[in-house]
C-alpha cells in the first residue's frame, strides 16, 4: 500500500483530539495483515463519538483499500460512532484533514481522493466541534 | 498487584460482547507501568457505550488500585461512556461479572470487593442489554 498508518504521526493527531476535549483510545498495531473490524482511533466527547481510520501519504492522491474503509463503516454503524478517514498529505505542508467515507471515489480496487478534493471536502479536526460540522451532515 | 489484566482471558470477554452485538476496541497492552487514562476495552452498540477495566484474580477478594478505577471513571465521563469493572474470580467457577465503580469499597490504598459482594452486586455481560440493567441505574 502506498500509504501507511504512520503510528508516530498519529500521535500528533491524538494530541489534537485530546486538546479538543476528546477521550481517545488507539487500537493496537495490527500484528499481521489480517485485521478484524476496528478503527485506528476511537474518540469520544460527552457522547459525540468518532471512529477514525488514519492514513498518511507522500503523494498527491490517496488510495485506500476497499476493505479499509468498508470495515470502518461497519464498525461505526455497529458501535454508534461517526466514521471518518483522517488523512495527512505529508508533502503538502498542511496538516490532518477529516473526510467522510462518501467523499472518496470508488474505483475497481480502491477508494481514492486527490489532495485538491480532500482540501475542498475535508475539514480540520477542530471543526468537528463547531457548528460548521452540521454542513457536513455530521450525524 | 495480585490481579492482572489477563490478556488471554480478556479475549473471551471480548467474544461475549461481540456476540451481544457490540463493536469492541481493545486497548494496546501498556508498555510500562505508566498508563494514561484509558480503559482496557471500549464497546459500543448503537450508541450504548461501555468502558471496561478488566481484572482477574485467583483470590476471594479483589483489590484494585485507586488510580486504576479513578482513571476509568475520568475517561468514561469525558468520552460519554458507562464505566464498569469486569472481573473474573478464576477459582470460583463463575464467569465474568460487571461491577459499577461505586460497588467497590474504598480503603486507604485500594478499592476492594469480595467474591460474595461481587456476585450480589454484579451482573453478567448479557444483562447489560436487558431491562434489568435499569435496576442497576445504567445511565
Amino acid at each position: 500500500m502506498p500509504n501507511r498508518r504512520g503510528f508516530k504521526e498519529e500521535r500528533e493527531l491524538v494530541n489534537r483530539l485530546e486538546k479538543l476535549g476528546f477521550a481517545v483510545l488507539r487500537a493496537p498495531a495490527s500484528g499481521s495483515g489480517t485485521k478484524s473490524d476496528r478503527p485506528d482511533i476511537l474518540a469520544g466527547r460527552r457522547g459525540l463519538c468518532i471512529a477514525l481510520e488514519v492514513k498518511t501519504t507522500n503523494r498527491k492522491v490517496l488510495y485506500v483499500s476497499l476493505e479499509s474503509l468498508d470495515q470502518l463503516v461497519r464498525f461505526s454503524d455497529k458501535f454508534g460512532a461517526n466514521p471518518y478517514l483522517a488523512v495527512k498529505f505529508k508533502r503538502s505542508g498542511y496538516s490532518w484533514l477529516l473526510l467522510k467515507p462518501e467523499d472518496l471515489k470508488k474505483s475497481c480496487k480502491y477508494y481514492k481522493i486527490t489532495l485538491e478534493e480532500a482540501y475542498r471536502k475535508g475539514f480540520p479536526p477542530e471543526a468537528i466541534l463547531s457548528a460548521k460540522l452540521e454542513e457536513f451532515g455530521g450525524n
Side-chain angles (χ1 to χ4, degrees), chain A:
Chain A
M1 287 292 293
N3 51 75
R4 304 210 333 216
R5 188 174 163 193
F7 221 77
K8 196 174 156 189
E9 282 175 310
E10 187 180 298
R11 182 70 235 169
E12 179 202 325
L13 176 61
V14 168
N15 287 343
R16 275 173 74 177
L17 291 169
E18 285 176 342
K19 275 188 191 148
L20 292 172
F22 280 94
V24 181
L25 191 68
R26 299 170 81 181
S30 46
S32 68
T34 59
K35 183 186 165 194
S36 60
D37 288 4
R38 66 168 194 223
D40 293 325
I41 292 176
L42 252 184
R45 188 176 182 274
R46 295 178 198 168
L48 168 67
C49 184
I50 59 174
L52 304 178
E53 189 70 16
V54 179
K55 300 287 180 193
T56 64
T57 181
N58 284 318
R59 318 200 325 177
K60 290 185 177 176
V61 183
L62 177 75
Y63 294 91
V64 182
S65 74
L66 297 182
E67 182 53 17
S68 187
L69 264 200
D70 292 350
Q71 64 85 19
L72 174 70
V73 172
R74 280 198 304 270
F75 181 96
S76 302
D77 283 351
K78 210 168 167 185
F79 193 98
N82 300 311
Y84 294 104
L85 185 72
V87 56
K88 188 173 186 181
F89 290 92
K90 292 199 279 182
R91 291 186 186 168
S92 71
Y94 292 96
S95 188
W96 293 97
L97 284 176
L98 301 190
L99 292 161
K100 298 211 296 185
E102 54 267 38
D103 290 337
L104 281 79
K105 283 187 188 127
K106 192 173 184 170
S107 69
C108 53
K109 286 186 72 179
Y110 294 103
Y111 291 103
K112 66 177 239 184
I113 191 163
T114 64
L115 171 61
E116 194 181 57
E117 288 169 327
Y119 280 94
R120 195 153 35 81
K121 297 180 174 176
F123 53 92
E126 286 69 21
I128 212 161
L129 294 182
S130 75
K132 245 195 156 231
L133 184 62
E134 283 160 34
E135 286 176 27
F136 298 100
N139 50 350

